[in-house]
C-alpha cells in the first residue's frame, strides 16, 4: 500500500509511537489527522508539520465525544483511507496488595481507551473506509496480548481482546469482499513515557513506527515487531515457556 497522498487518522498522534507515526507518515507525503488529549502537544505537532497535520483534542475515554467525532470524520475528511488506532494507557495494579474497588475508575478508563474507543472508531468508520478505492484499518496491540505480565492485568486483557476483535473483523471484511485491509500490529516493549522504569531491551518509538509503516506497505495482516516475533514462535512451540518468560520478565 502506497501511503503518499493519503489522509490517515492516528490516535495518540502527539506522543510516543503516535508522534513518530505522524512524523514518518508526513515524511511519506501523507496528511495526518492526529488525535490526543493534550492540546499543547497537539499544537506543537501542528506548528512543526504545518498543513500536513490536522489536530483534534479528544478524550478517548469519554464515549459520547468519541461517537460524535467518529460520525463527523467522513464529512470533514472525505479522503480518509487509513486509520491507525495507536492510543493506549497502562495502569500498573496489584489487586492483592491494593484496594481493588479504589482502582475501578482508572481501570474503566483504561478499558475505554484501549478497547471501547478502538471498537467505536473501527466499526464507525468501516463503511466510509469501504467506499475508498483501497483502505487500511490498523490496530496497535502488544506482545502482552500473547502472554500477560502480572503487573498490568487489565491492560493485558484489553490488548488480548483487541487482538481477537481485530482478527474477527478481518474475517468479516474478507468474507464480504471488502477492500478494507484489517491489520494487527503487535508491539514489543517500546521506550515511551508509558513504559518509563519498566523492563529492558526496549526499542525506540521511531523503530516501532517504522516497523508499523513497513508492514502496512507490505499488506501484512499481522505485523510482529522486535521481540514479539520470538514470542510468537515460543507460544507456538511451548505456551508454558512463553507465559513463564513474560511472568518473570
Amino acid at each position: 500500500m502506497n501511503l503518499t497522498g493519503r489522509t490517515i487518522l492516528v490516535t495518540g498522534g502527539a506522543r510516543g509511537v503516535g508522534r513518530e507515526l505522524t512524523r514518518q507518515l508526513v515524511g511519506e507525503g501523507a496528511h495526518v489527522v492526529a488525535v490526543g488529549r493534550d492540546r499543547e502537544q497537539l499544537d506543537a505537532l501542528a506548528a512543526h508539520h504545518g498543513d500536513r497535520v490536522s489536530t483534534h483534542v479528544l478524550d478517548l475515554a469519554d464515549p459520547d465525544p468519541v461517537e460524535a467525532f467518529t460520525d463527523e470524520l467522513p464529512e470533514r475528511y472525505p479522503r480518509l483511507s487509513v486509520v491507525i488506532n495507536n492510543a493506549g494507557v497502562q495502569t500498573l495494579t496489584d489487586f492483592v496488595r491494593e484496594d481493588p474497588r479504589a482502582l475501578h475508575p482508572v481501570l474503566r478508563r483504561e478499558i475505554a481507551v484501549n478497547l471501547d474507543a478502538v471498537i467505536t472508531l473501527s466499526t464507525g468508520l468501516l463503511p466510509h473506509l469501504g467506499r475508498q478505492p483501497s483502505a487500511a484499518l490498523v490496530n496497535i496491540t502488544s506482545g502482552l496480548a500473547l502472554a500477560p505480565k502480572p503487573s498490568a492485568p487489565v491492560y493485558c486483557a484489553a490488548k488480548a481482546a483487541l487482538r481477537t476483535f481485530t482478527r474477527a473483523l478481518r474475517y468479516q471484511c474478507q468474507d464480504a469482499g471488502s477492500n478494507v485491509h484489517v491489520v494487527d500490529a503487535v508491539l514489543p516493549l517500546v521506550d515511551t513515557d508509558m513504559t518509563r522504569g519498566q523492563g529492558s531491551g526496549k526499542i525506540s518509538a521511531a523503530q516501532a513506527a517504522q516497523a508499523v509503516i513497513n508492514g502496512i506497505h507490505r499488506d501484512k495482516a499481522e505485523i510482529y515487531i522486535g521481540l514479539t516475533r520470538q514470542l510468537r514462535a515460543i507460544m507456538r512451540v511451548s505456551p508454558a515457556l512463553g507465559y513463564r518468560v513474560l511472568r518473570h520478565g
Side-chain angles (χ1 to χ4, degrees):
M1 177 176 283
N2 185 357
L3 300 176
T4 303
R6 289 184 181 270
T7 299
I8 302 176
L9 172 67
V10 179
T11 65
R15 299 182 63 181
V17 176
R19 182 172 60 234
E20 278 298 323
L21 283 167
T22 297
R23 182 183 68 82
Q24 294 182 30
L25 289 167
V26 167
E28 294 208 10
H31 179 90
V32 175
V33 180
V35 172
R37 279 197 305 153
D38 191 311
R39 182 179 296 278
E40 185 175 333
Q41 291 180 334
L42 289 167
D43 287 347
L45 193 74
H48 182 74
H49 293 293
D51 62 2
R52 301 305 304 169
V53 171
S54 301
T55 60
H56 296 270
V57 177
L58 180 66
D59 184 356
L60 291 170
D62 194 340
D64 290 339
V66 173
E67 286 276 9
F69 179 74
T70 303
D71 290 343
E72 70 186 28
L73 263 180
E75 184 175 349
R76 298 182 72 163
Y77 302 101
R79 296 181 62 192
L80 177 69
S81 62
V82 177
V83 172
I84 304 179
N85 285 306
N86 161 77
V89 295
Q90 183 181 124
T91 305
L92 301 181
T93 50
D94 187 331
F95 294 116
V96 176
R97 293 180 175 86
E98 300 176 72
D99 177 6
R101 190 172 186 83
L103 294 170
H104 288 173
V106 70
L107 296 179
R108 290 191 187 99
R109 177 177 185 83
E110 188 172 20
I111 294 169
V113 173
N114 294 339
L115 183 61
D116 289 354
V118 179
I119 292 174
T120 297
L121 286 163
S122 298
T123 58
L125 293 172
L126 192 63
H128 171 77
L129 294 176
R131 291 190 290 270
Q132 307 306 304
S134 64
L137 172 62
V138 184
N139 291 333
I140 304 295
T141 65
S142 166
L144 297 174
L146 305 179
K149 65 177 182 179
S151 59
V154 174
Y155 177 85
C156 297
K159 288 298 185 180
L162 178 56
R163 179 170 165 79
T164 297
F165 166 76
T166 302
R167 177 179 288 272
L169 184 61
R170 182 187 309 124
Y171 290 163
Q172 289 189 359
C173 289
Q174 290 172 340
D175 292 347
S178 170
N179 65 333
V180 181
H181 187 54
V182 181
V183 181
D184 178 5
V186 189
L187 293 190
L189 192 60
V190 181
D191 189 11
T192 66
D193 291 343
M194 189 177 77
T195 65
R196 184 176 291 121
Q198 300 179 37
S200 59
K202 300 176 185 178
I203 66 171
S204 70
Q207 289 173 310
Q210 186 61 68
V212 171
I213 292 170
N214 287 345
I216 297 172
H217 281 313
R218 294 160 59 191
D219 293 328
K220 290 281 191 179
E222 295 182 329
I223 307 168
Y224 290 91
I225 299 166
L227 291 175
T228 66
R229 292 191 290 268
Q230 289 92 316
L231 179 60
R232 180 194 187 198
I234 291 171
M235 295 301 290
R236 283 178 167 177
V237 175
S238 175
L241 174 59
Y243 290 134
R244 188 162 64 249
V245 168
L246 267 296
R247 180 178 182 181
H248 300 292

